[in-house]
Amino acid sequence: MNPINKLIVAVIPLFPKNVVRIFASRYIAGDNINDAVKKVKELNSKSIIATMDVLGESIKDKEEAVQSKNESIEVLEYIDKFNLNSNLSIKLTMLGLNIDFDLCLDLTAEIVEKAREYNNFVRIDMEDSSVTEKTIQIYETLRKKYNNVGIVLQSYLKRTVNDVIRLTKEKANFRICKGIYIEPKEIAYKKKQEIRDNFMKALEIMFKRGAYVGIATHDKYLIDASKKLATDLNIPDDRYEFQMLLGVKENLRDKLVAEGYKVRVYVPFGIRWYQYSMRRFKENPNIAGQILKSLITFRR
Ligand SMILES: Cc1cc2nc3c(=O)[nH]c(=O)nc-3n(C[C@H](O)[C@H](O)[C@H](O)COP(=O)(O)OP(=O)(O)OC[C@H]3O[C@@H](n4cnc5c(N)ncnc54)[C@H](O)[C@@H]3O)c2cc1C
């Protein structure tokens, strides 16, 4: 990142929330479930499937964890009621992972059980490295009982290839992505090409060991390499899908759909949009620059 962009990213947290919100709206479906339903219907009408996510991260007490569980179940109910082509993504710190492991396991199991009743699927997002092992353990425990649950692995983590081998001892369902959190160099690759190489290495093992894979990237290099790998290994269409974030690289997304690939878009919504949006801005300082410009205009 060039020094000007670095500076812009550093100062965005100082901007008024209402300004940040204007630009955040490209990445989030809205404040409530009805906004998200509308967005998913729009995507479905373009032959794009979705995964819905109630925004939020680490919570402080059991009551909040139970509330998060209820919100996730509500999403499953809406998906069923409106016949949407969508599954659900969840973050375990919202379900109490940092407070009480067993509570988190129980609440997550409740969500996965409900999804099973609706013939739906739950993807466990991966958060920062302080919770990687615990997240994997919850997935492993649930996977013994449920086949409608999947996990995310991050190719910037040096441990990921071992995790793929560990988890593909059973039938597994992955999302592979680069990873968005800032991690120490002792445990994470930092160079762009190293992260890409590890992505492809992990994907190849996933494919060869029979897993279903959501290939989550907007990086054309990785999309092209994944397509080629799937062809070279004769991986059938029903063993993988591409995944992208709402509001990112829509031309690339539409091209994949036109070529006949299965494409799923991550549709986050809810009132706790700030942290999610800040991570997206850090990935794309051009947007940060636009915020800065608009702020100057606002103040005039
Ligand atoms: C469906 C999905 C789910 C994800 N789930 C997780 C998760 O559970 N845990 C986790 O750590 N990470 C997750 N991520 C984020 C992921 O790890 C990366 O941080 C993010 O996808 C950017 O990496 P990239 O592979 O697209 O490559 P990049 O090299 O970052 O981007 C490739 C191209 O896309 C453009 N681009 C990327 N992001 C943006 C943006 N925000 N706005 C505009 N343009 C952009 C870039 O400008 C670049 O041209 C997820 C990503 C997706 C697509």
Side-chain angles (χ1 to χ4, degrees), residues 26-27 125-126 152 154 175 177-181 216-219 243-245 248-249 266 280 283-284:
R26 82 179 257 181
Y27 297 124
D125 284 349
M126 187 56 81
V152 178
Q154 299 149 321
R175 173 192 299 150
C177 64
K178 287 181 179 173
I180 187 124
Y181 301 88
T217 183
H218 319 91
D219 184 347
Q243 298 187 351
M244 294 196 181
L245 300 170
V248 179
K249 291 269 172 183
Y266 192 93
R280 301 275 87 83
E283 279 178 324
N284 190 1

Side-chain angles (χ1 to χ4, degrees), residues 111-126:
I111 296 170
V112 176
E113 177 75 45
K114 185 56 88 179
R116 184 163 69 176
E117 280 169 40
Y118 285 127
N119 205 13
N120 209 332
F121 178 87
V122 179
R123 171 79 55 199
I124 300 173
D125 284 349
M126 187 56 81

